[in-house]
Amino acid sequence: MSGYTSDQLVAHATADAQMVPLGQRARITGIQAEGATSSTIAFKSGGVGGTVVATFKFGDEGIDFYVPGSGILFDDGVYLDLTATPGVTITFT
């Protein structure tokens, strides 16, 4: 198909994980996560000890979020730190 202006990739995790490799720049453009009581997901740039760039808190309803504009920028990979969340899927460029 033609007409696409960017390449979207998808990553899924069910535990804390390096979703986009260290050293790779990425922009998260969409987030989906299963909900549970007092769920939290934090995305870091720079690995497990890196800088928290974005945090989302939600309940049993889960989250299905399209990031407007150019997305959330990560200069050094994307690390996911999750709490009480069965699974997280991101789309990114």
Side-chain angles (χ1 to χ4, degrees), residues 20-27 45 73-78 92-93:
V20 176
L22 287 169
Q24 182 175 328
R25 186 175 170 178
R27 290 182 184 272
S45 182
L73 176 63
F74 294 79
D75 287 323
D76 190 12
V78 177
F92 64 97
T93 58

Side-chain angles (χ1 to χ4, degrees), residues 4-86:
Y4 292 107
T5 59
S6 68
D7 297 320
Q8 293 287 315
L9 300 171
V10 178
H12 180 77
T14 57
D16 293 359
Q18 188 70 44
M19 298 185 83
V20 176
L22 287 169
Q24 182 175 328
R25 186 175 170 178
R27 290 182 184 272
I28 292 180
T29 56
I31 303 164
Q32 293 179 314
E34 277 186 77
T37 302
S38 300
S39 296
T40 302
I41 52 177
F43 295 103
K44 299 178 181 180
S45 182
V48 66
T51 303
V52 175
V53 175
T55 301
F56 298 87
K57 296 181 180 188
F58 50 95
D60 296 332
E61 72 280 3
I63 189 171
D64 187 0
F65 183 70
Y66 168 76
V67 181
S70 297
I72 303 169
L73 176 63
F74 294 79
D75 287 323
D76 190 12
V78 177
Y79 183 84
L80 168 69
D81 183 357
L82 60 81
T83 303
T85 306

